[in-house]
Amino acid sequence: MSRLDPPRVNRRSFLTLASLGSFLAAMGTAAAGMLRLPNPAVLPGPVRRFKLGPPEQFSAGSETAFTDQNLVLFRDDEGFYAISSTCTHLGCTVARSKDGFACPCHGSRFNSKGGVVGGPAPRPLPWLEVSRAANGDLIVNADNEVPEGTRYSV
Ligand code: FES
């Protein structure tokens, strides 16, 4: 062996270097993953709380569709309640029908309380939380579902 020949790497040295290289690559990947942890992968969406106005503007027995907010506000003798008008099948906006709600997309039908009476919708239209703001206006929180039959009385 002359002085110009490259040094021979024996099997033990090669395996040691390969395992050390693999270990360092794994540690680098783990460190890169840990640096991403402080940044949330999912950001919260906008809060869906809607001010609908003073209760006095809704007469007993009324129903008011808020198309931009995808909900219908009802007032009966027991109080206010709101039902989402977003179809529980694939999210189309349902329309009021003679006896409830009907979805124009795939034909789901719901009764006047949002219960499914036909079509592919897997669950009833949600009832949404109704409350009042500090200034007295009614607020519907579309992110909070409440049990069917829940009323907000003023
Ligand atoms: S989105 Fe309403 S039935 Fe499909």
Side-chain angles (χ1 to χ4, degrees):
M1 182 160 94
S2 76
R3 294 179 64 203
L4 297 177
D5 287 340
R8 288 187 52 112
V9 177
N10 65 24
R11 183 178 176 168
R12 179 177 299 231
S13 298
F14 173 77
L15 290 175
T16 302
L17 285 174
S19 62
L20 181 62
S22 298
F23 175 76
L24 291 176
M27 294 308 291
T29 303
M34 287 176 14
L35 290 175
R36 289 189 55 212
L37 282 179
N39 302 321
V42 177
L43 297 174
V47 175
R48 299 187 312 136
R49 289 169 52 97
F50 307 114
K51 268 189 182 180
L52 303 181
E56 304 79 47
Q57 83 180 46
F58 306 99
S59 59
S62 70
E63 69 173 67
T64 309
F66 292 87
T67 52
D68 288 347
Q69 292 81 9
N70 267 13
L71 62 92
V72 181
L73 180 73
F74 296 86
R75 183 175 194 177
D76 62 14
D77 294 339
E78 299 173 52
F80 290 93
Y81 61 99
I83 298 179
S84 169
S85 56
T86 301
C87 182
T88 55
H89 180 225
L90 293 177
C92 289
T93 300
V94 299
R96 282 294 273 154
S97 64
K98 191 173 58 181
D99 52 354
F101 301 87
C103 182
C105 292
H106 310 104
S108 285
R109 289 175 293 111
F110 304 87
N111 64 26
S112 62
K113 301 298 183 206
V116 178
V117 293
R123 61 187 191 94
L125 297 173
W127 284 47
L128 307 173
E129 180 187 54
V130 179
S131 61
R132 287 179 90 168
N135 70 356
D137 283 354
L138 289 173
I139 292 179
V140 170
N141 185 347
D143 291 323
N144 265 7
E145 294 184 20
V146 294
E148 179 184 329
T150 303
R151 303 289 200 282
Y152 179 78
S153 52
V154 291

